[in-house]
Amino acid sequence: MSISDLSLHVVESGPAEGRPFLFLHGWPESWRTWLGVMEAADAAQTGVRIIAIDLPGIGESTGTGGGGSKLRVAETVHALVRHLGLTSMTLVGHDAGGMAAYAYLRRFGDVERVVIMNTVIPGVDPWNEVLRNPHIWHFGLHAVPHLPETLVQGHQAEYFGYFYDVLSADPSRISADTRAAHAAAYGDDAALTAGFDLYRAFPQDAVDNAAFAEAGAVDTPLLYVRGDRESGDIDAYARGFRDAGVRTLVTATVTDAGHFAQEEQPADVWRIIRDFAHRTAN
């Protein structure tokens, strides 16, 4: 689907007239990370419209999308929302997609609710604490110009697999087919750069988010979700959102899941999102 100077790969399930849920993936993933959630929603016969995309430059989407800036990604997603005529929308983002969902929440007023999963938001507590964590070494590596592309090209499956294995409660839940699909989504140099640019944009993201906080509070309902096997205190993340001006916030944990909760426990993730949407429906 052509959006401005980009071509976005869009995958849908459910009836076109259903209430829309738009899903944004993180790194090192593609739209396929949401496949189990889409199947759970279809199996429940809820009549909702599920939309998942490849982020700009990744998978079958082409174009750079603003060098990894989450505000630029949010603007692209907003253009897609307008193109599709979506209303009463729930926006869901995981990892870097969650950062983009936060930028969308703060920048635009046409989203009914937002779900952010398994991520920290640049410039929003506990951002600085996360940056000091030596286990988050890849943030620094991925921000170096050109080097990670050189190191990872030809070794996507092995490199990405390290993160699936270390950050999942049970790595076997991320299937070989899914891993292969994600690796293929970053198969060329341009796609690798698009993925690493998501990290290179963190300093600008932090500046943008500080400006949002200074501009005032937001009342759009936000659900923050983490796997119960992922490190970090969910209450600290909740305080950070509230201090940044998010007035309507709830949190949830996914049982027996780590960082890739939507792939580890897709039915539970869909239930949590569905129940949140039901509670906050206008």
Side-chain angles (χ1 to χ4, degrees):
M1 184 172 296
S2 296
I3 301 294
S4 300
D5 59 343
L6 305 175
S7 176
L8 291 182
H9 181 224
V10 180
V11 179
E12 297 194 40
S13 68
E17 68 277 8
R19 177 167 287 195
F21 290 73
L22 176 56
F23 289 81
L24 310 178
H25 67 82
W27 184 94
E29 297 168 293
S30 65
W31 78 267
R32 278 282 302 264
T33 196
W34 302 111
L35 185 58
V37 174
M38 298 170 81
E39 291 172 348
D42 290 343
Q45 297 182 332
T46 52
V48 299
R49 180 183 183 186
I50 305 291
I51 305 162
I53 70 170
D54 283 331
L55 294 185
I58 295 170
E60 296 184 52
S61 291
T62 61
T64 59
S69 160
K70 310 312 173 296
L71 182 54
R72 300 288 87 76
V73 174
E75 290 171 347
T76 297
V77 173
H78 183 249
L80 174 66
V81 168
R82 296 187 64 181
H83 180 81
L84 295 176
L86 303 181
T87 58
S88 301
M89 180 185 69
T90 301
L91 180 63
V92 183
H94 174 261
D95 189 79
M99 298 176 186
Y102 181 78
Y104 194 109
L105 166 72
R106 300 309 304 254
R107 174 65 178 83
F108 300 106
D110 61 348
V111 61
E112 191 162 303
R113 65 192 64 82
V114 173
V115 181
I116 295 175
M117 297 180 54
N118 303 88
T119 196
V120 64
I121 304 300
V124 175
D125 285 343
W127 174 247
N128 290 330
E129 179 182 341
V130 170
L131 291 182
R132 290 192 294 267
N133 184 345
H135 295 291
I136 313 298
W137 54 267
H138 59 288
F139 278 27
L141 172 61
H142 293 178
V144 177
H146 311 302
L147 178 62
E149 288 93 332
T150 301
L151 296 176
V152 174
Q153 181 56 268
H155 304 283
Q156 285 89 333
E158 296 86 352
Y159 188 64
F160 297 171
Y162 167 84
F163 294 96
Y164 303 141
D165 293 344
V166 169
L167 300 179
S168 302
D170 181 354
S172 68
R173 295 177 186 148
I174 304 178
S175 70
D177 287 346
T178 296
R179 292 173 183 235
H182 291 333
Y186 298 81
D188 60 35
D189 291 343
L192 277 174
T193 294
F196 293 131
D197 278 350
L198 295 170
Y199 292 84
R200 293 168 182 143
F202 284 170
Q204 183 59 51
D205 296 336
V207 170
D208 293 337
N209 291 332
F212 287 136
E214 292 176 2
V218 62
D219 292 316
T220 303
L222 171 63
L223 168 65
Y224 182 70
V225 181
R226 289 176 76 81
D228 69 349
R229 301 280 293 277
E230 186 167 32
S231 62
D233 178 8
I234 196 169
D235 292 335
Y237 288 80
R239 287 193 299 272
F241 281 119
R242 293 189 177 103
D243 290 345
V246 178
R247 288 192 175 124
T248 308
L249 174 75
V250 294
T251 63
T253 55
V254 184
T255 302
D256 194 23
H259 180 70
F260 301 98
Q262 71 280 5
E263 296 189 48
E264 300 176 62
Q265 300 288 356
D268 287 347
V269 166
W270 171 244
R271 175 184 53 79
I272 289 169
I273 294 171
R274 178 202 64 199
D275 291 351
F276 170 65
H278 179 74
R279 290 194 307 270
T280 56
N282 293 330

